[in-house]
Coordinates of all heavy atoms in Angstrom, one line a residue:
S1170 N 74.9 -94.8 89.8 CA 74.8 -96.1 90.6 C 73.4 -96.3 91.1 O 72.9 -97.4 91.1 CB 75.9 -96.1 91.7 OG 75.6 -95.2 92.7
V1171 N 72.8 -95.2 91.6 CA 71.5 -95.3 92.2 C 70.5 -95.6 91.0 O 69.6 -96.4 91.2 CB 71.1 -94.0 92.9 CG1 69.6 -94.1 93.4 CG2 72.0 -93.7 94.1
F1172 N 70.7 -94.9 89.9 CA 69.8 -95.2 88.8 C 69.9 -96.6 88.3 O 69.0 -97.3 87.9 CB 70.1 -94.2 87.6 CG 69.1 -94.1 86.6 CD1 67.9 -93.4 86.7 CD2 69.3 -94.8 85.3 CE1 67.0 -93.3 85.7 CE2 68.3 -94.7 84.3 CZ 67.2 -94.0 84.5
L1173 N 71.2 -97.1 88.3 CA 71.4 -98.5 87.9 C 70.7 -99.5 88.8 O 70.1 -100.5 88.4 CB 72.9 -98.8 87.8 CG 73.4 -100.2 87.4 CD1 73.1 -100.4 85.9 CD2 74.8 -100.4 87.7
L1174 N 70.8 -99.2 90.1 CA 70.2 -100.0 91.1 C 68.7 -100.0 91.0 O 68.0 -101.0 91.3 CB 70.6 -99.5 92.5 CG 70.1 -100.4 93.7 CD1 70.7 -101.8 93.7 CD2 70.5 -99.6 95.0
S1175 N 68.1 -98.9 90.5 CA 66.7 -98.8 90.4 C 66.2 -99.4 89.1 O 65.1 -99.9 89.0 CB 66.3 -97.3 90.4 OG 65.0 -97.1 90.1
T1176 N 66.9 -99.2 88.0 CA 66.4 -99.6 86.6 C 67.2 -100.7 85.9 O 66.7 -101.2 84.9 CB 66.4 -98.3 85.7 OG1 67.8 -97.9 85.5 CG2 65.7 -97.2 86.4
G1177 N 68.4 -101.0 86.4 CA 69.2 -101.9 85.7 C 69.9 -101.4 84.5 O 70.5 -102.1 83.7
R1178 N 69.9 -100.1 84.3 CA 70.6 -99.4 83.2 C 71.1 -98.1 83.6 O 70.8 -97.6 84.6 CB 69.6 -99.3 82.0 CG 68.4 -98.4 82.3 CD 67.4 -98.3 81.1 NE 66.3 -97.6 81.4 CZ 66.2 -96.2 81.2 NH1 67.2 -95.6 80.8 NH2 65.1 -95.6 81.5
S1179 N 72.0 -97.6 82.7 CA 72.6 -96.3 82.9 C 71.8 -95.2 82.3 O 71.0 -95.4 81.3 CB 74.0 -96.3 82.3 OG 74.6 -95.0 82.3
F1180 N 71.9 -93.9 82.8 CA 71.3 -92.8 82.1 C 72.3 -92.1 81.1 O 72.0 -91.1 80.5 CB 70.7 -91.8 83.1 CG 71.6 -91.3 84.1 CD1 72.8 -90.6 83.8 CD2 71.3 -91.5 85.5 CE1 73.6 -90.1 84.8 CE2 72.1 -91.0 86.5 CZ 73.3 -90.3 86.1
R1181 N 73.5 -92.7 81.0 CA 74.5 -92.2 80.1 C 74.7 -93.2 78.9 O 74.5 -94.4 79.1 CB 75.8 -91.9 80.8 CG 75.7 -90.8 81.7 CD 77.1 -90.3 82.1 NE 77.6 -91.0 83.2 CZ 78.8 -90.7 83.9 NH1 79.4 -89.6 83.5 NH2 79.2 -91.4 84.9
S1182 N 75.0 -92.7 77.8 CA 75.3 -93.6 76.6 C 76.6 -94.3 76.8 O 77.4 -94.0 77.6 CB 75.3 -92.8 75.3 OG 76.3 -91.8 75.3
G1183 N 76.8 -95.3 75.9 CA 78.0 -96.0 75.9 C 77.8 -97.5 76.1 O 76.6 -98.0 76.4
R1184 N 78.8 -98.3 75.8 CA 78.6 -99.8 76.0 C 78.4 -100.1 77.4 O 78.9 -99.5 78.4 CB 79.9 -100.5 75.5 CG 80.2 -100.3 74.0 CD 81.5 -101.0 73.7 NE 82.6 -100.3 74.3 CZ 83.3 -100.8 75.4 NH1 82.9 -102.0 75.9 NH2 84.3 -100.2 75.9
P1185 N 77.6 -101.2 77.7 CA 77.3 -101.6 79.1 C 78.6 -101.8 79.9 O 78.7 -101.5 81.1 CB 76.5 -102.9 78.9 CG 75.8 -102.7 77.6 CD 76.8 -102.0 76.8
G1186 N 79.6 -102.4 79.2 CA 80.9 -102.7 79.9 C 81.6 -101.5 80.3 O 82.5 -101.5 81.2
S1187 N 81.3 -100.3 79.7 CA 82.0 -99.1 80.0 C 81.7 -98.6 81.4 O 82.4 -97.8 82.0 CB 81.7 -98.0 79.0 OG 80.3 -97.6 79.1
L1188 N 80.7 -99.1 82.0 CA 80.3 -98.8 83.4 C 81.4 -99.3 84.4 O 81.6 -98.8 85.5 CB 78.9 -99.3 83.8 CG 77.7 -98.6 83.3 CD1 76.5 -99.4 83.6 CD2 77.6 -97.3 84.1
I1189 N 82.0 -100.5 84.0 CA 82.9 -101.2 85.0 C 84.2 -100.5 85.0 O 84.8 -100.2 83.9 CB 83.0 -102.6 84.6 CG1 81.6 -103.3 84.6 CG2 84.0 -103.4 85.5 CD1 81.6 -104.7 84.0

Side-chain angles (χ1 to χ4, degrees):
S1170 72
V1171 178
F1172 195 79
L1173 182 69
L1174 185 61
S1175 170
T1176 66
R1178 60 185 178 86
S1179 168
F1180 53 60
R1181 291 195 274 190
S1182 59
R1184 296 178 295 103
S1187 65
L1188 280 169
I1189 302 173

